[in-house]
């Protein structure tokens, strides 16, 4: 399965882009600065029947999250 990492995927354009990738069969990593907001985005996708996505903490200002 092809995988995609989408930053800012918990809202707006990133959320829509993630949705399009999911519809195309990708496994999508929902990257967000707030893991809580990322998890909410995953819950929205699960309510749509999506199972091939997971939330990850990704904040370019936080070295630990980038590592």
């Amino acid at each position: 399965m092809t995988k995609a990492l989408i930053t800012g995927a918990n809202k707006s354009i990133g959320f829509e882009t993630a949705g399009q990738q999911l519809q195309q069969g990708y496994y999508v990593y929902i990257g967000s600065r707030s893991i809580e907001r990322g998890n909410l985005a995953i819950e929205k996708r699960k309510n749509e029947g999506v199972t091939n996505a997971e939330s990850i903490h990704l904040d370019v200002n936080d070295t630990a999250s980038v590592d």
Side-chain angles (χ1 to χ4, degrees):
M1 176 178 289
T2 304
K3 298 177 181 179
L5 167 63
I6 302 176
T7 60
N10 62 301
K11 61 181 181 177
S12 195
I13 294 171
F15 187 77
E16 181 59 30
T17 302
Q20 291 176 13
Q21 296 295 308
L22 288 162
Q23 289 176 355
Q24 294 177 17
Y26 284 71
Y27 187 94
V28 177
Y29 295 97
I30 305 287
S32 63
R33 287 181 283 181
S34 164
I35 194 68
E36 292 82 14
R37 287 184 291 206
N39 289 338
L40 287 174
I42 291 293
E43 288 303 314
K44 288 179 187 176
R45 294 298 181 195
K46 284 184 179 178
N47 290 335
E48 299 169 353
V50 170
T51 60
N52 54 325
E54 69 182 88
S55 176
I56 62 169
H57 177 230
L58 183 59
D59 183 349
V60 297
N61 293 315
D62 180 358
T63 305
S65 80
V66 174
D67 289 342

